[in-house]
Structures are given as structure tokens and as C-alpha cells.
Amino acid sequence: MNMRSADMPSLAGGASAHAPRQAWIDVARAVALVLVVAGHTERGLAAAGIMAGEAARDFDLVVYSFHIPLFFLISGLLFAQSIERRPFLLTWKVRTTRLLQPCLIWSIVLLGLIVLAANLANTPVSPTDAFISILLLPLQPVSIFWFLYTLLLCMAVSGLTIEYRHCTPGQLLFWSLVLHVAYLLFLSNQQAGMGLQFVRFAEHQLYFAVGIFLAPAVLRDRRALVADAQFGRHIAIATAFLATCFLVAVWALVAFQFSYHSSLGTLAALSASGAVLCICYLAVNLRNWLVPAPVMTISKETLAIFCMHVPFVSGTRMALSHIGIDGAALHLFSGTVIGICGPLLTLKMMDSLGLAAMAGFGNERRVQRFVRQP
């Protein structure tokens, strides 16, 4: 097995072997997850005719322009840190199982619930269609689960390229950019059907590679960075610049109704992701913000919340509509909150019954209790 040379430069700044948990990254990941749940809530409301008009369209365009790219960028940061401790070539089976097991289990659960909901679902699925979708799962992910397929592809390609081909983060970023440009030119209109995960890989590998490339700078020892009196100012300036770029890009997206699957969408995704990360870093590390325990819990249980939130979001919409509540704002707020709290309560119940591992959430680190981190 061709392993990475011992004298290759560290991807995460050389201190990742015993690096403490980065609380500011947890905050950023929690923000991204909340936006994902809110986005799926909004799209369900739009399909049901509860949330419509320009406000709904603009909300969708803004949120979807960057929340998933932010997830991929954060995943790239953590992946770079992780393979310093446990090389990808030695852990690829564990990493694959950790993503594929819940993906397959909850794809089947989601299809089953949609079949049972019948005409109550925004997009009903017949038992025959559901069975065919299950058979095609290895080739065609169900609904939101394209994300896990694509993330697995990004991890596999990046890990093998870095460790087997000895590719530097800069080289990986360059070829990811080339792939992304090819996606924008030839594949950006193909957002459904067979092979979707490969199209989404071409789109999102860039953000994953950006995370790997930035890892040495942003995962350095916190004390060394805080000791630099100018560092906070540099981060603040970067935040203002990135936020301005995002506002300009998203204004153009909304004003001219461009798709976020475009070069303008790429600019919005990169600038917004960078701004969110900078703000989280400033708040947690330089302003000594005490991260609330619920925020850390949301970040810790990201995989479980992502896999289970759709039934709770849909159930909330159906329940509120059944009792005659049609306010879009209340629907959006309630769906987002229950879409996060519902999976957490379900996961706690699974833990108490010893079913978490069977459901695909048996990671040993997940059962460790978090404490508040400065």
C-alpha cells in the first residue's frame, strides 16, 4: 500500500495529532445545519402553496446559494485534520460505512413514510415506484441523501489523491477548480436523474478542496493566533470583504433571477461560507464567546438530524395545516425547530433502547457527552 511519505507537509498545520475540538467549527456547522432544515421546510411550504411569492423565492435563492457549500467546506477542514491522525487509506472502510449505512437505512424509511402518507405528501410515491427507488439506491440516491453520496465521493477522491498520488492541497484545489469550471460549462443544468451524485461531486468538490487548502491556516494553535495583535483585525477585514461580495452576488442572483448553479452562485457560496467561518472564529476564539451546549449538541448530532429531519418537518406542516394555521412565518419557524428537536429526541430514545447503532448512528464519539467550550 502506497502511503503518504512521512516527510510530507502537514495538511492541518502540523498539530492535528492531538488537536482539541475546534468549537468555532462546531458553531459554523450548527449554523449550516439549521439553514438546511429551514431550506427544506421552506421548499415543503412552497410545494404545499403555504409559502409563495417573491419572498419565498428570494429566501430559497439566498439560503440554497451557500448552505450546502458551507457544509462541504467545513467537511474539507475536518477531513484534512482527520487524515493527519488516521490516514484515509487505513480508514476508508470505516468512513464509507459511517456514511452509507444511515444513508441507505433512512432512504428506505423516508420512502416508506412517503408511501404511507399517500396524498398527504406534496409528492406522493406509489409502492411500486418506492420499490424501484430502493433497488436503484446504489446508483440513484433518494431525495436529500445525494449529499452523503457526494460527500463520500469527495472524501474518497481527495483522500486517494493526497495519500496515493502525493498531491498537495494546492494541486488538489487547482484540479477541483478545473472540474468545477467544466461543471458550470456542461453539467449545471443536470440537477436530477441517474448519476446525480457525480454531477453534484463536480460541483461541490471545489468547496471540499478549499477546506483542505485552508486547513493549515485556520487549524493552527489558537494561542499563537490570538497572540498576534493584528490577526483579529485581519479576520474582521476579511469578514467585511466576504460579506460585501456575498451581498453583491446574492443581489445579482435575485435581481436577474440567475440560478445558484452558476458562476455567480459559486461566488455567493464561497464568499458567504468564508464570512460565516470568519464570524464564528471571531465570536468564539477572539471574543471568548461561551458556546451554548445546545449548539454543540446540534453540531455533534449533525448526521442524525440530517437523516431524520424531513419526516418531522413534513409532519409539522401537515399538523399545523390540519388545525387551520396557515401563517407562513409560523410554519417556517415551527418546522425548523421541530425538524431539529424531533431527531434529537428520537436519537435519545434510540440510545436508551440500544438502537442507535442499528439506525446507523453508532459512532463512539457521538455518545460522549459534550461540555461547554470557550
Side-chain angles (χ1 to χ4, degrees), residues 97-121:
T97 301
R98 183 172 179 267
L99 289 179
L100 280 187
Q101 183 183 355
C103 180
L104 296 176
I105 291 172
W106 291 97
S107 293
I108 295 173
V109 170
L110 180 59
L111 284 170
L113 291 175
I114 294 175
V115 170
L116 292 175
N119 292 330
L120 293 176

Side-chain angles (χ1 to χ4, degrees), residues 14 20 22 45 48 61 91 110 125 142 158 160 183 224 236 254 256 262 270 277 289 298 307 342 347 360 367:
Q22 302 277 348
L45 296 175
L61 196 58
T91 59
L110 180 59
V125 175
V142 172
S158 299
L160 291 173
Y183 157 80
V254 171
F256 301 104
S262 63
L270 288 172
L277 290 173
W289 178 50
I298 291 172
C307 290
L347 189 60
V367 301

Side-chain angles (χ1 to χ4, degrees), residues 190-213:
Q190 301 180 27
Q191 298 298 326
M194 195 73 69
L196 174 62
Q197 64 271 31
F198 297 105
V199 175
R200 294 289 174 85
F201 164 74
E203 178 182 9
H204 292 94
Q205 169 62 23
L206 171 64
Y207 309 116
F208 194 82
V210 169
I212 293 176
F213 181 79

Side-chain angles (χ1 to χ4, degrees), residues 153-220:
L153 282 172
C154 290
M155 291 170 56
V157 170
S158 299
L160 291 173
T161 302
I162 290 171
E163 295 187 356
Y164 186 75
R165 300 300 301 175
H166 304 307
C167 184
T168 66
Q171 292 170 332
L172 178 67
L173 178 59
F174 172 78
W175 289 113
S176 298
L177 178 60
V178 171
L179 180 64
H180 188 83
V181 171
Y183 157 80
L184 292 174
L185 292 175
F186 306 111
L187 301 173
S188 60
N189 292 327
Q190 301 180 27
Q191 298 298 326
M194 195 73 69
L196 174 62
Q197 64 271 31
F198 297 105
V199 175
R200 294 289 174 85
F201 164 74
E203 178 182 9
H204 292 94
Q205 169 62 23
L206 171 64
Y207 309 116
F208 194 82
V210 169
I212 293 176
F213 181 79
L214 293 178
V218 302
L219 297 178
R220 290 161 55 195

Side-chain angles (χ1 to χ4, degrees), residues 37 309 312-313 316 333-343:
V37 177
H309 76 275
F312 288 98
V313 167
T316 301
F333 177 79
S334 301
T336 302
V337 172
I338 296 177
I340 293 171
C341 295

